[in-house]
Each structure stands twice: as C-alpha cells, then as structure tokens.
Amino acid sequence: MIPNNIAAHGLSADEYARIQQLLGRDPNLVELGIFSVMWSEHCSYKSTRAHLRRLPVTGPQVIQGPGENAGVVDIGDGDVVVFKMESHNHPSFIEPYQGAATGVGGIMRDVFTMGARPVAMMNALRFGAPDHEKTRHLVSGVVAGIGGYGNCMGVPTVGGEVNFHSAYNGNILVNAMCVGLARRDRIFKSAAKGIGNPVVYVGSKTGRDGIHGATMASAEFSEDSEEKRPTVQVGDPFTEKLLLEACLELMSTDAIIAIQDMGAAGLTSSSAEMAGKGGTGIDLDLDRVPQRENDMTAYEMMLSESQERMLMVLKPGREGVAETIFRKWELDFAVIGKTTGTGRMIVRHKGAVVADIPVNALSDEAPVYQRPFTAKSSPARTPVEIDPGRDIAESLLKLLACPDLCSRRWIWEQYDYSVMTDSVQPPGGDAAVVRVHGTNKALAITTDVTPRYCRADPFEGAKQAVAEAWRNLTAVGASPLAVTDNLNFGNPERPETMGEIVRCIDGIAEACRALSFPVVSGNCSLYNETGGEPILPTPAIGGVGLMDDVAREASIGFKRNGDVLILIGEARGELGQSLYLREIESREDGPPPRVDLAVEKRNGDFVRALIRSGRTNTVHDLSDGGLLIAIAEMAIAGGLGAMLDLPDRAAPFLFGEDQARYVIAAAPDAAETVLSDAAAHGVPAIRIGKCDGDRLIITGRLSIPVARMRSAHESWLPSFMAGDPASRAGLAAS
C-alpha cells in the first residue's frame, strides 16, 4: 500500500502495521477505507476511551448507560427518557446550513433508534469573535439549519446556549441534544444476535455525500478546509419524518432483533457495531443496496454518510411485515445480507468478495492510546485587582448587551419551540420544561459549560459545568436525573491539550459522583483547531431532570409587586475569568470561581424543596455576570422592577460569579420562614430587596428603567445579524 494513501486515510504507520497483522496480509482499498473510519478518533475514541472509563455511569434510575445509541433513564410509571448530545462541528464550519441540519437529523435518529419519540431538541453553539469575517455567515447558516430540520420534523427546539470567542474563529462548535420518550418495555438496542437473520436496509438511497466524513472529523483544519465540502452530508427532514414514523410503527410489532442508524461511517459502522455487540458475523451484498447514483463503488457505498438511513436485523420471516410498513411510508427497503456465526464482516460486490475482516479487529482491536499529557496547575487564588471607580449602571448595561449575555430571542424565534403543545416554558430561562404528554410529569432540560473557566483550570471548569447544569434543573423545580456530555477539544497529540481532556474528565467524574448525576451517553469531538490554534476546552454538559408535578414549577421572571428577594448562597466576590473582567476590564485572567460540590447539593436541595412546597415560583441561578445580571434578567423576563438593599455595592459583590447561588422571590409572609429554614439547614440566605415598580434601583448607586435594560439586552444580536458595524465589534451602545 502506498504510504501517502495510508496517511490520506488518517492512519499512522504503526496502525497500518497492526492492520496487516490482524488480517495476515495487506488490506485492499475497501478494507483500508473500513479500517480508516472505524479506527478514526470520531468512531473509536482511541485517545479518550481509557479516561472515559472513570466517569460514573450507573445509578438506580439508569436503564442504559454509554455504549448504545443513547442513554435511557427511568422516570416512573413505565416511562423512560432517552437522550444524547453529539457534535457536528467540522461539517458546520465548512457548510453551516447542512452541517447543522444533519447534526440535528443524526442525533434524532440516535434517539428514535432506541424506540423513543423525540420530544425536545437543545443545542450548544460556539462561534468566533463577532468581528471575524465569517462569524455572521456561520451564525446565520447554523441557526437556519437547526431550525429548518427541527421545524420540519415537528420536534420543538426548546433552548440551548450560544457563546462567541476568538478561539472559535476557525472551528465553530455545533452540539445538538435530543430528548425522547419511550415505554420501559419497548426499548430497542443494536446488538445483532443470532445466526441467519436477515439484515435490512431502510430509508433513503445511498449517494456519494459524506464519504470520509468520520475521518475528516478526526483531523484538524488547515487552509484547505473549504475543499472538504464534499465530505458534508445533505439532509432531508421530510424523509427523516417518514423514517421516524415507519420505525416506530415497526417497533410496535415483534419483528426487530436489532436496529442501528447509519451515522458517522454509514454502512460500515452500523454493520460492524451491530455484529460486534451481538458477537456474530455479518455478510453484506452491496448489489442490493439502494443507490441514487450510478456506478457507485464498494468503497463509496461502505463509507458514504448519506442521511436518513437505518440498518436492522429482523426475525426470519418478518421481512414482509417490515417491507409493507416501509413501502407504505414511501421509503426504500432491501434485504442486503444476513448475520453469520463466522465473526467476520464479509462484503460482496458484483459477485466478488471485496472485504473480509474479523469483526473484532474493527472494534475490540481498535487502538487505545495513553497519550502523554501535561496537566495545567490550578492558578493561584489571589485577589483580582479592578478599577473601583467604574459606574455600576454603565457596567450593567454593557454586560446585558455583550455577545455572551445578550438575549438569544433572535435565534430561538426561528425555532418552533411549542410544536407538540407540551413545552411549558419558552426558551430564555434556566432550563426548558417539557410535559410528559398526557401526565402531570415534566422533563427539565439544559446544556451548560463555561469554556473560559475550563481554559484557566480544566478540573474546576468541568466541575462547574456539571454543577451549573444541576443548578439549572433545580431552579425550575426538577430533580436532576442524569447527563450526556459532548467533549470538544483540540489535538490530543499535543500534551497540553491532552492534559485539558484528562483533567476535564476528572472534573466531570467528581461532580457527577458528588451530585448523583451519572453520565449515560455522550460524544467526543477532538482535533478542533485550525493551523495549530485550538478551541477553548469545551466539555458541554446536557442535563435532564424530572418534575413529578409540573404545576409546581419555577421560572425566572418577577411576578408580583412586594415579593421579597432572597439571595441563597455565599457571596465571595470572585471575579477571576468573569464576564465583568472580560467585558468591563478588557482582561481574561485569574482563577475561575471555586466549586464546592457539597455546598452545591445542600443549597440546591433546599431551593428545590422551597419550589415543591409552593413557597416560591420565582428562581434564577447565578452564573455568568453574577448577582446584578441575574436580577436584571429576572426583571426583564417579568417586566417588573426591584428595589435592592444590598450589604455590599462594590463590583465584586455585584458581578462576581461565585457558585452554588440562587435568587428567589417569595411572598412577604413566606420570606421569614424561608430565612429561618435556611438557617436551620446551614444554608446562607439574606434578604436583598423586593420586587417593585418599573425600575431596578440600588439607592445611591443605580436607577435604570426595566425598559432600558430590555432594549440593551435584546438589541445586540439583531443588530449584529443585520450587519451593524458597532455590533460586529461587540461594542453595542448601552
């Protein structure tokens, strides 16, 4: 095999030698392509697998942890929630609309492959600096792609997060999360058990789009990234909707033994993974594969990532039942092979065997690396010096209008967030709330990570991502159940990047254990860098919680004049890595805020009990921007002002991003019992003011109309997308 061809397939010389050893010969081109995608970082997790084993993945509520298409968690009454988050970063930078759209389609298939009907979508998006030449184009395309696919599928997009930073200039992040509901006794898995069972292809025809998509996703960008456009798949949400309904209809019968969507690496990964999990072999005849292009080669068919396709193993004799259903939904159906007892993947094309590979060589024998790493030491916790003379009102308005804190209304109004009629809260709060259809139960859903914290201290930053997800679910009244993660990093072959990966995984593991918040699914996306410049370490956390009674929910908006405002949690005034430091002081330095997981749990459990007892229905957790930003957001959401009586009026107290904190609003007759109960439970709590009028007031320091705060908060993103030069520089006027 020509060395250049080996390198072009993303394989090292040592990996190629290992392939030769496993086969006892040189691979042919089709086999080389199969190994290249199955051993890619995207499919094999060869740099992270050893470390991911440290994550807690079990719990009394966990039915299915990592290893299947999505995680499954029990929510009682025979119901389960099925969810996962996955990335489509490289494709979305190259072709933002289709990259984002097919990311949405792919994660939906992961969920309905398990037998669940998708009920909610979330996303976590990271873009470059507003003044970068590509940022506005990428925001426009990604948002349109997410909305276009999700809206056509009739699945609400109920929330997410969006950040801007120059570290993402050459490599944006598009992480999509899907949540579905199923019955506990109707969960479907991917293990192709049994010998002689028919292997069935359903969905769209196979084309040449997306070939080497998994390999491309496992390499960093260079100046020729635009030339990789052919590796981006093209999606058709209308076909996916038909595929969803057809699959769920077939799942109501007893025909299916195993099912797997054709995602990254297409037919190769789906067939190899199904056979590997089932301990069987698989024999495929590519002449039977539905094709939409002429003269497709075996190599192209095995590596194509054409969308809206599934692979199934059926019970013998049930092919007719399945075919009738898929033909009714106007989808392709073909029996393309069978399971065998050989333990080998045999691929035939035009009467010849074009690949003959031991199945375990593609899965169990894939490389697992212990890459060298340099762990970053935690920065010293010295006080952050700031200019004490800055005007508080000016700082507040500037922060409300900055790219990372401004309203995302321009984005979420392009999504259908109320279709299916079970969305209880619109986007913009701490967590989305989606009713379990026909019941009083509801799911709470959030996505969270603060990449600037993870860059400064990967361990503490990852702990904070988990803690904030836990807080956001708590803040609406939900019991946090479990998480999915999306670990976005640069090149793991660089020791400093591998150090970020290792320490972030350690931080996630510690936080998830302390909070009884297991990881049930996830995705790793590495090599996110361009020209040697990596993204910020971005271990996104998707959290799901359960509300037993949706009538006892909380939201962030102020609701009643006279309600007493109470700060739950201790204020240290930690400004390191804060948005105040970045946006007001033009610095990115200092240690991120400390995360005390025992305090997080104590304070969060207390707040959740207040919501469930009916003593508050107005809650907001404190995160980016600190106390004053949280209060301003509550005022804007409720259209109601507040008079604040604060023990400290300096910037560290007002804008510090200390953790484990909430602001709640309670009726005057309930406030005293809240404060006394907090003291009894050892929870710091102080009265800080009351809801009143149409202005936010701190006597002697601040008096701003709520309408003015709303204008500052909601104007930046529409102005930016309209091409206003001031907003492109991130300098929205207050």
Side-chain angles (χ1 to χ4, degrees):
M1 187 66 64
I2 300 171
N4 286 346
N5 201 19
I6 297 169
H9 281 79
L11 295 165
S12 69
D14 288 344
E15 289 171 345
Y16 184 74
R18 178 63 176 152
I19 292 169
Q20 290 174 305
Q21 182 183 25
L22 290 168
L23 293 178
R25 56 177 172 79
D26 287 341
N28 62 35
L29 183 61
V30 175
E31 292 167 334
L32 183 68
I34 290 171
F35 272 103
S36 77
V37 292
M38 291 304 295
W39 284 17
S40 69
E41 193 73 63
H42 191 77
C43 292
S44 74
Y45 292 3
K46 57 191 175 186
S47 296
T48 56
R49 198 186 312 177
H51 301 285
L52 293 171
R53 294 172 182 144
R54 296 197 294 276
L55 295 174
V57 298
T58 60
Q61 72 275 35
V62 177
I63 295 172
Q64 176 64 58
E68 272 294 339
N69 288 291
V72 183
V73 176
D74 193 349
I75 58 171
D77 306 311
D79 296 320
V80 296
V81 58
V82 181
F83 61 97
K84 187 181 181 183
M85 182 158 54
E86 201 160 74
S87 61
H88 231 219
N89 303 334
H90 284 46
S92 298
F93 182 79
I94 295 168
E95 173 44 65
Y97 184 93
Q98 289 296 346
T102 51
V104 170
I107 196 63
M108 282 195 195
R109 287 196 301 280
D110 281 339
V111 166
F112 73 74
T113 298
M114 301 291 293
R117 179 175 290 279
V119 296
M121 292 293 301
M122 298 279 281
N123 52 73
L125 312 177
R126 266 86 198 177
F127 297 102
D131 59 355
H132 188 266
E133 61 183 1
K134 287 190 175 181
T135 297
R136 191 155 57 99
H137 161 71
L138 292 169
V139 172
S140 177
V142 165
V143 170
I146 291 170
Y149 208 102
N151 294 355
C152 290
M153 285 293 293
V155 179
T157 300
V158 292
E161 54 180 344
V162 183
N163 294 133
F164 297 84
H165 194 282
S166 59
Y168 303 105
N169 281 350
N171 199 128
I172 64 172
L173 301 184
V174 176
N175 297 169
M177 178 179 174
C178 183
V179 179
L181 289 167
R183 297 294 292 172
R184 181 168 183 157
D185 60 354
R186 302 300 293 169
I187 299 167
F188 291 81
K189 299 186 180 181
S190 57
K193 297 178 180 179
I195 298 171
N197 296 323
V199 176
V200 174
Y201 172 120
V202 299
S204 292
K205 290 180 169 59
T206 294
R208 291 188 171 96
D209 52 320
I211 293 173
H212 277 302
T215 306
M216 180 267 289
S218 304
E220 60 186 81
F221 280 150
S222 59
E223 292 181 358
D224 64 350
S225 60
E226 291 296 321
E227 297 175 10
K228 298 178 180 177
R229 195 174 298 274
T231 63
V232 178
Q233 311 93 324
V234 177
D236 180 353
F238 299 104
T239 298
E240 177 123 333
K241 174 64 173 173
L242 300 177
L243 183 62
L244 163 65
E245 300 300 340
C247 286
L248 293 180
E249 183 174 341
L250 183 60
M251 286 168 172
S252 68
T253 73
D254 66 348
I256 298 174
I257 294 173
I259 180 170
Q260 174 80 37
D261 83 292
M262 294 192 221
L267 185 55
T268 287
S269 63
S270 56
S271 57
E273 289 172 7
M274 292 176 81
K277 291 175 184 176
T280 60
I282 193 163
D283 194 317
L284 302 176
D285 184 352
L286 299 185
D287 294 334
R288 301 180 183 179
V289 171
Q291 300 162 51
R292 71 165 182 259
E293 299 185 43
N294 296 326
D295 302 319
M296 289 193 71
T297 65
Y299 181 94
E300 291 170 332
M301 280 187 275
M302 290 302 292
L303 270 62
S304 167
E305 294 184 6
S306 294
Q307 297 290 285
E308 294 88 36
R309 301 180 300 161
M310 292 280 191
L311 199 65
M312 298 181 180
V313 175
L314 302 181
K315 294 179 180 178
R318 305 297 282 165
E319 300 94 323
V321 171
E323 182 170 9
T324 297
I325 290 172
F326 282 91
R327 298 295 185 198
K328 181 187 78 173
W329 289 99
E330 299 181 348
L331 295 166
D332 278 288
F333 176 97
V335 178
I336 66 168
K338 62 182 179 181
T339 57
T340 69
T342 65
R344 303 185 74 83
M345 173 190 278
I346 307 294
V347 182
R348 307 175 191 275
H349 187 224
K350 296 184 178 179
V353 173
V354 295
D356 183 350
I357 304 172
V359 170
N360 68 353
L362 299 173
S363 52
D364 298 343
E365 297 294 337
V368 177
Y369 293 128
Q370 289 280 2
R371 297 196 185 277
F373 65 88
T374 303
K376 182 182 293 186
S377 59
S378 297
R381 291 205 168 272
T382 55
V384 176
E385 299 295 330
I386 60 168
D387 180 354
R390 295 192 186 276
D391 182 77
I392 295 298
E394 182 181 331
S395 297
L396 172 62
L397 290 170
K398 187 171 183 180
L399 281 167
L400 285 171
C402 79
D404 275 9
L405 283 177
C406 71
S407 169
R408 272 58 177 144
R409 180 183 296 275
W410 181 91
I411 293 174
W412 55 257
E413 284 189 340
Q414 298 185 53
Y415 304 152
D416 192 335
Y417 55 86
S418 60
V419 66
M420 300 177 77
T421 71
D422 285 316
S423 300
V424 177
Q425 293 191 19
D430 283 326
V433 179
V434 178
R435 184 189 300 272
V436 177
H437 191 72
T439 75
N440 290 327
K441 297 185 297 187
L443 300 173
I445 313 163
T446 187
T447 58
D448 293 287
V449 67
T450 309
R452 62 186 187 276
Y453 293 174
C454 295
R455 179 181 59 181
D457 188 334
F459 181 71
E460 286 295 310
K463 282 169 57 181
Q464 190 275 338
V466 174
E468 187 174 349
W470 195 87
R471 275 201 311 275
N472 281 336
L473 300 176
T474 294
V476 296
S479 295
L481 291 175
V483 307
T484 181
D485 59 39
N486 204 143
L487 308 182
N488 307 273
F489 294 91
N491 184 344
E493 297 168 50
R494 304 179 194 276
E496 60 276 14
T497 296
M498 195 67 219
E500 292 175 340
I501 295 169
V502 171
R503 292 301 285 156
C504 280
I505 290 173
D506 287 342
I508 292 169
E510 181 167 307
C512 287
R513 285 194 184 92
L515 298 172
S516 301
F517 205 23
V519 180
V520 297
S521 59
N523 170 249
C524 291
S525 175
L526 308 186
Y527 295 93
N528 288 292
E529 56 183 73
T530 301
E533 293 297 321
I535 62 166
L536 300 182
T538 311
I541 300 296
V544 174
L546 177 66
M547 302 167 66
D548 293 326
D549 182 0
V550 71
R552 290 292 174 93
E553 56 147 348
S555 58
I556 72 171
F558 290 154
K559 298 174 180 66
R560 294 166 295 273
N561 266 316
D563 273 3
V564 176
L565 302 180
I566 298 171
L567 172 63
I568 304 291
E570 182 182 359
R572 294 191 182 96
E574 294 188 287
L575 283 175
Q577 299 299 325
S578 66
L579 285 180
Y580 180 88
L581 207 62
R582 190 178 85 189
E583 299 294 330
I584 307 303
E585 299 279 331
S586 301
R587 295 157 50 197
E588 294 186 51
D589 57 27
R594 285 163 284 194
V595 180
D596 185 322
L597 296 166
V599 171
E600 285 283 0
K601 189 169 192 318
R602 181 196 67 195
N603 293 0
D605 289 348
F606 178 75
V607 168
R608 194 181 312 108
L610 293 179
I611 298 169
R612 290 182 175 178
S613 66
R615 285 185 284 175
T616 183
N617 64 354
T618 304
V619 180
H620 195 4
D621 89 301
L622 271 61
S623 54
D624 282 349
L627 174 64
L628 197 55
I629 288 295
I631 293 172
E633 289 172 341
M634 298 171 85
I636 292 167
L640 182 61
M643 295 185 65
L644 304 180
D645 182 14
L646 303 175
D648 186 344
R649 299 176 181 182
F653 180 83
L654 296 175
F655 300 110
E657 296 179 3
D658 316 300
Q659 300 295 291
R661 298 191 300 163
Y662 306 78
V663 170
I664 72 165
D669 58 351
E672 289 305 318
T673 63
V674 169
L675 292 168
S676 61
D677 284 357
H681 286 85
V683 174
I686 58 172
R687 186 192 302 257
I688 59 170
K690 65 178 181 178
C691 299
D692 184 73
D694 60 1
R695 304 176 74 88
L696 182 59
I697 297 172
I698 304 175
T699 305
R701 292 298 311 264
L702 179 78
S703 179
I704 305 178
V706 173
R708 188 178 178 199
M709 292 192 298
R710 176 179 289 109
S711 176
H713 188 51
E714 295 192 351
S715 63
W716 184 83
L717 195 51
S719 296
F720 169 66
M721 294 309 297
D724 176 62
S727 65
R728 283 173 62 84
L731 301 173
S734 60

